[in-house]
Amino acid sequence: MRGIVTFYLTYLLCLMLGITCVALVAHWNYSYRGGFAWDGSVKQFNWHPVFMVTGMVVLYGNAAVLYRIPLTWGHNKLPWKLLHAGLLLLSFVLSVIGLCAVFDYHNANHTANLYSLHSWVGICTTALFTAQWVMGFTAFLLPCTPMTARALVKPAHVWMGGIILVLGIVSCISGINEKLFFALKGNTNGTLPYSALPPEAITANALGVIIVAFGLVVLKILSNQIWQRPEPGYEEGVYQPLGYDGS
Amino acid sequence: MRGIVTFYLTYLLCLMLGITCVALVAHWNYSYRGGFAWDGSVKQFNWHPVFMVTGMVVLYGNAAVLYRIPLTWGHNKLPWKLLHAGLLLLSFVLSVIGLCAVFDYHNANHTANLYSLHSWVGICTTALFTAQWVMGFTAFLLPCTPMTARALVKPAHVWMGGIILVLGIVSCISGINEKLFFALKGNTNGTLPYSALPPEAITANALGVIIVAFGLVVLKILSNQIWQRPEPGYEEGVYQPLGYDGS
């Protein structure tokens, strides 16, 4: 009982941090960066952080902890599997739109693509996410996949799930940091430089810190063994930990 | 037996990636950034990435996986505890020297400290590392701490250990990315811009990718339950996983 109360308090924190991330990234780009458009201008670039933070971090993190919600344990697993896969597909689609926003903006302005370390880590994260979704679909949703194969793939699937979240956070923090150095040069357009910590810098730095906090709460939920969905075939109360490779 | 061979192959990979990180960060700052000094010039700043990558990531990661080496399992744990604490203290001292290098450089050049998101995440990482070391020393090395308290603190200590490594990597990637945008502006001093991917950009981007790879190998070693040091009081072959909070 105490474990369930602690779970829901932690889950509430996770939801609140996630909503704050989405609100802050939208507020930053709407109020300080000039808002949104899809016209090759910097307003198109502004979709990039919004879609990446919302898709690759917040929606992804929420999809990852879905099976940990005790409310879902009493039911057939299939609808929750479909919701898990569906949320991650939506997270993937949002991430791809976020990537299109920046590639399109670069191409329209004859700027090179994929040269910064941020972009290298980001594109590797997206590639891993794609592979993870396809592997997950093949292993856990195709009815022809034998149970033995599922059991074999599961620890790697769960471990990779956590790692992709970590890489998504690395990408977001390096990207927000880079954008603030680009945007807040000071003097040229009447804005204060980044080093003077104007309100925009505080807002976007706070967004970065809250993204990290959200990621840590998700990783904490994933790593706590007693919050894992009880699977048939194990002794009551002794669930096989999914967060490590016990092979 | 197969598990031990796989461990040593993974550990060898961990060592090789760690040595490559130290060599690359030193090579980048020596060959492309003008080398090292402690005179308030940019040559003093160059110590910052070298000490942070070597201390906060490579030495830290190696100290974290120390107990996983099967060679150490047959012996009394105390010398290994002292080596674990000693390596982490050295890692902490190197990190503090790395921070002194950048604070001193900023102060000598009348530049603000601690305004970027990179610096916010970095300073939080160092604060957590300090708290973790003091807590670890108090709980596991002071003879007066009761065994029950040690058992209580251990899962949190192991979990925080992994999280601090993740935060260290977030700090390094955002810092290398930031430095490359600062240094490779192109034209001003005859260098190509970052977007043209000159050899320096390839070197430092590769350093970033190898830091991430090193971190993933360390996290993989930490998460594998059968690579954990067998502790007395548990059934043979069924070791309490340390990588999750089983409370």
Side-chain angles (χ1 to χ4, degrees):
Chain A
M1 191 59 202
R2 210 181 108 228
I4 290 183
V5 171
T6 316
F7 171 84
Y8 278 112
L9 287 174
T10 315
Y11 185 58
L12 187 68
L13 179 66
C14 172
L15 289 175
M16 284 166 55
L17 288 171
I19 291 167
T20 311
C21 285
V22 176
L24 261 183
V25 72
H27 169 60
W28 171 35
N29 285 280
Y30 182 79
S31 304
Y32 294 107
R33 294 283 103 234
F36 307 99
W38 200 278
D39 55 2
S41 76
V42 76
K43 288 186 182 183
Q44 177 165 347
F45 176 88
N46 294 345
W47 284 119
H48 177 62
V50 172
F51 276 112
M52 300 321 282
V53 169
T54 308
M56 188 80 97
V57 176
V58 178
L59 205 54
Y60 182 98
N62 275 287
V65 298
L66 191 71
Y67 294 131
R68 305 307 198 270
I69 307 171
L71 202 71
T72 70
W73 291 354
H75 309 118
N76 184 322
K77 198 174 179 181
L78 188 62
W80 300 107
K81 269 193 185 184
L82 291 170
L83 185 59
H84 177 75
L87 283 174
L88 286 167
L89 188 61
L90 182 61
S91 148
F92 178 74
V93 169
L94 294 187
S95 307
V96 170
I97 298 172
L99 288 181
C100 288
V102 69
F103 275 94
D104 219 48
Y105 164 72
H106 282 169
N107 295 341
N109 293 278
H110 309 289
T111 310
N113 285 301
L114 293 178
Y115 64 88
S116 72
L117 180 55
H118 158 70
S119 67
W120 284 25
V121 175
I123 209 74
C124 288
T125 311
T126 315
L128 280 177
F129 185 9
T130 313
Q132 169 86 343
W133 197 91
V134 172
M135 285 287 290
F137 180 83
T138 312
F140 305 112
L141 276 176
L142 287 187
C144 56
T145 309
M147 287 302 282
T148 48
R150 290 183 184 189
L152 213 68
V153 171
K154 200 167 178 176
H157 181 75
V158 176
W159 191 76
M160 276 304 296
I163 289 304
I164 291 166
L165 180 68
V166 166
L167 294 178
I169 290 168
V170 173
S171 307
C172 285
I173 300 305
S174 56
I176 295 168
N177 195 58
E178 174 183 326
K179 178 67 192 177
L180 288 170
F181 274 105
F182 266 121
L184 299 176
K185 289 190 189 299
N187 298 328
T188 53
N189 50 3
T191 58
L192 286 168
Y194 192 8
S195 60
L197 276 179
E200 176 176 354
I202 304 270
T203 305
N205 278 6
L207 166 66
V209 172
I210 294 166
I211 287 171
V212 170
F214 171 81
L216 297 192
V217 172
V218 169
L219 291 174
K220 186 68 195 162
I221 291 176
L222 292 179
S223 73
N224 194 333
Q225 199 189 25
I226 60 159
W227 289 343
Q228 284 166 11
R229 181 187 167 96
E231 297 290 348
Y234 299 115
E235 285 175 65
E236 201 185 336
V238 186
Y239 313 129
Q240 186 73 15
L242 307 180
Y244 69 92
D245 177 0
S247 62
Chain B
M1 190 59 201
R2 210 181 109 228
I4 290 183
V5 172
T6 316
F7 172 82
Y8 277 113
L9 287 175
T10 316
Y11 185 58
L12 186 68
L13 180 65
C14 172
L15 289 175
M16 283 166 55
L17 288 171
I19 290 167
T20 311
C21 284
V22 176
L24 261 183
V25 72
H27 170 60
W28 170 35
N29 285 281
Y30 182 79
S31 304
Y32 293 107
R33 294 283 102 234
F36 307 99
W38 199 278
D39 56 3
S41 76
V42 76
K43 290 187 180 183
Q44 177 166 346
F45 175 88
N46 294 345
W47 284 120
H48 177 61
V50 172
F51 276 113
M52 300 320 282
V53 170
T54 307
M56 188 80 95
V57 176
V58 178
L59 206 54
Y60 182 97
N62 275 287
V65 299
L66 191 69
Y67 293 130
R68 305 306 200 269
I69 307 171
L71 202 72
T72 70
W73 292 354
H75 308 119
N76 183 323
K77 197 172 179 180
L78 188 62
W80 300 107
K81 269 193 184 184
L82 291 171
L83 186 58
H84 176 75
L87 283 175
L88 286 166
L89 188 61
L90 182 60
S91 149
F92 177 74
V93 169
L94 294 187
S95 306
V96 170
I97 297 172
L99 288 181
C100 288
V102 70
F103 275 95
D104 219 47
Y105 165 72
H106 282 169
N107 295 341
N109 294 277
H110 309 290
T111 311
N113 286 299
L114 294 178
Y115 64 88
S116 71
L117 179 55
H118 158 70
S119 67
W120 283 27
V121 175
I123 210 73
C124 287
T125 311
T126 315
L128 280 177
F129 185 9
T130 313
Q132 168 87 342
W133 198 91
V134 172
M135 284 287 289
F137 180 82
T138 312
F140 304 112
L141 274 175
L142 285 187
C144 56
T145 309
M147 287 302 280
T148 48
R150 291 183 184 189
L152 213 68
V153 171
K154 200 168 178 176
H157 181 76
V158 175
W159 192 77
M160 276 304 296
I163 289 304
I164 291 166
L165 180 68
V166 166
L167 293 178
I169 290 167
V170 173
S171 308
C172 285
I173 301 304
S174 55
I176 295 168
N177 196 59
E178 172 182 326
K179 178 67 191 177
L180 288 170
F181 275 105
F182 265 121
L184 299 176
K185 291 192 189 296
N187 298 329
T188 53
N189 50 2
T191 58
L192 286 168
Y194 192 7
S195 60
L197 277 178
E200 175 177 354
I202 304 269
T203 306
N205 277 7
L207 166 65
V209 172
I210 294 167
I211 287 171
V212 170
F214 171 82
L216 297 191
V217 172
V218 169
L219 291 174
K220 186 70 196 157
I221 291 176
L222 292 180
S223 72
N224 195 332
Q225 198 189 27
I226 61 160
W227 290 344
Q228 285 167 9
R229 182 187 166 96
E231 297 289 348
Y234 299 114
E235 285 175 63
E236 200 185 335
V238 186
Y239 312 131
Q240 186 72 17
L242 307 180
Y244 70 93
D245 178 357
S247 61

